[in-house]
Amino acid sequence: MNASRYSTHWGLVGMAALWGASWPWGRIVAQSMPPLAAASLRFLLASAVLLLWLHRSGRTGALRVLGARQWMGLACASAVGVLGYSVFFMLALQTVPAGKAAMVVALNPVLTMLFAVLLFREAVNTPMCLGLVLAVTGALYALSGGSLSLLQSPTAGAGELLLLGCAACWVAYTLMGRMVLARVDPLTTTTVTAAIGAGLLLTASLALEGPAAWGRLADAPVQAWFGIAALAFGATALAYAWYLNGVKALGAGAAAAYMALVPLFGMVFSSLWLNEPFTASLLHGGALAILGMLLMNWGRHRMERRAAGLAR
C-alpha cells in the first residue's frame, strides 16, 4: 500500500473519530446553550468554511445551473437532514449520555439499506441481511439499556425516542439525495444544504427561543464554545473533506465501511471526556451493532466484486 493510500485510510479513521467525538461535544453544548441557537451557530460557521471550499475548488459556477427541481430538493434535504436532525440531536443530548446516544449511528446504514430495498429494489445478499439484524438488535439493545421492551413502553425515555428521530432524518436525507440530487456533486450538495439549514435553524431559533437565546450564548462556558467550534470545523467541514477524499480514492462502499467505527469512538471519547461508564448493555449492544455494520459492508463488497466479475 503506497503512502497516499495510507493517508486516505488514516483520513477515514479521522473522519470516524470526529463523527464519534461529535456526540460528547454535542452533549456539552446541549447542556450549556439554547439548543436551536447553538445548532444554527454550528451550521453558520460550517457553511462559511464550506462556501470558501466550494469557491476555492472552482465549483461555485455549479450553483448557477441548478434547476428549480434541484433547488427544491436541496431545500427539502436541508429541512430534514439539517433542521430536523439537528433538533433531534441537540434535544436528545440534553438527557441521554453521549456514548449511549452514539449507538444510533448503527441504525443509519441499516435503515437506509432497508428502505433502498423497498423503494428502489436494491439487491441484497445473506450477509447483508444478517448484518442488518445484528446491527438493529445491538443498537436498540444499547439504547434501551439492555431491555428492548422499554422502547415500546409508555415510559420510554423521550431522549431515546428523539435519537430514533435522528436516524429517521438521516435516512430520509440520504434517500432524498438519491432521488432528487443525483446530478449535484457531493460538495455542492453539502454546502448548499448546510447554508439553507443554517437559515432554517436561525429562523426556528428566533421564533421559538427568541432573540434572548442568542444573548445567553455569551454566558456559556469555554467548553461549550470549544464544542461548537469542533462540531462546525471538525465534525462537519474537516470530516467531510476526509470522507470525500476516501470516496474518491477507494469508492463509496469502502469509505462507508468506516462508519462502523463511529459508535466505538463515541463511547471511548464519552468515557474519557465526560466520565460516562461503560455499562454491560452498552458494551454488548455496541459490539453487536459494530459487528452487524461490518458484516453488512462485507456483504455489499462481496456483491459488488461479483457484479464487477460478471461485467467483464
Side-chain angles (χ1 to χ4, degrees), residues 155-176:
T155 58
E160 285 78 6
L161 297 179
L162 287 167
L163 285 171
L164 297 181
C166 281
C169 284
W170 183 261
V171 172
Y173 174 78
T174 304
L175 295 175
M176 202 175 293

Side-chain angles (χ1 to χ4, degrees), residues 51-238:
L51 284 167
L52 179 62
W53 181 12
L54 192 71
H55 174 71
R56 291 181 66 87
S57 66
R59 301 185 198 179
T60 50
L63 298 177
R64 293 191 291 270
V65 299
L66 293 176
R69 175 182 170 85
Q70 291 167 320
W71 278 111
M72 181 61 69
L74 287 164
C76 292
S78 298
V80 174
V82 178
L83 175 63
Y85 187 93
S86 297
V87 170
F88 285 125
F89 176 81
M90 295 298 291
L91 293 179
L93 285 173
Q94 288 183 330
T95 58
V96 180
K100 180 180 179 181
M103 283 299 105
V104 80
V105 174
L107 294 178
N108 293 345
V110 169
L111 294 176
T112 301
M113 186 190 86
L114 183 61
F115 279 95
V117 170
L118 295 174
L119 296 176
F120 305 116
R121 299 294 188 265
E122 280 194 3
V124 293
N125 54 22
T126 301
M128 293 170 69
C129 293
L130 179 58
L132 183 149
V133 173
L134 291 177
V136 168
T137 303
L140 293 181
Y141 186 80
L143 286 171
S144 65
S147 178
L148 294 175
S149 61
L150 288 180
L151 291 177
Q152 302 174 338
S153 70
T155 58
E160 285 78 6
L161 297 179
L162 287 167
L163 285 171
L164 297 181
C166 281
C169 284
W170 183 261
V171 172
Y173 174 78
T174 304
L175 295 175
M176 202 175 293
R178 170 165 180 166
M179 290 186 294
V180 182
L181 307 173
R183 296 184 180 180
V184 185
D185 70 274
L187 178 57
T188 300
T189 298
T190 302
T191 303
V192 175
T193 53
I196 295 175
L200 293 174
L201 284 165
L202 177 60
T203 302
S205 173
L206 293 174
L208 300 176
E209 296 173 332
W214 286 81
R216 294 200 301 273
L217 292 177
D219 300 325
V222 173
Q223 296 94 324
W225 281 102
F226 173 81
I228 283 288
L231 286 169
F233 303 129
T236 306
L238 182 57

Side-chain angles (χ1 to χ4, degrees), residues 2-60:
N2 58 37
S4 63
R5 283 272 176 169
Y6 273 120
S7 65
T8 299
H9 285 283
W10 279 114
L12 288 168
V13 172
M15 170 213 74
L18 286 170
W19 283 348
S22 70
W23 294 93
W25 288 334
R27 172 84 165 158
I28 293 169
V29 170
Q31 294 189 313
S32 307
M33 292 178 165
L36 293 177
S40 58
L41 181 59
R42 169 192 177 179
F43 279 94
L44 285 169
L45 293 172
S47 297
V49 174
L50 289 166
L51 284 167
L52 179 62
W53 181 12
L54 192 71
H55 174 71
R56 291 181 66 87
S57 66
R59 301 185 198 179
T60 50

Side-chain angles (χ1 to χ4, degrees), residues 306-312:
R306 182 179 179 184
L310 291 174
R312 288 174 185 160

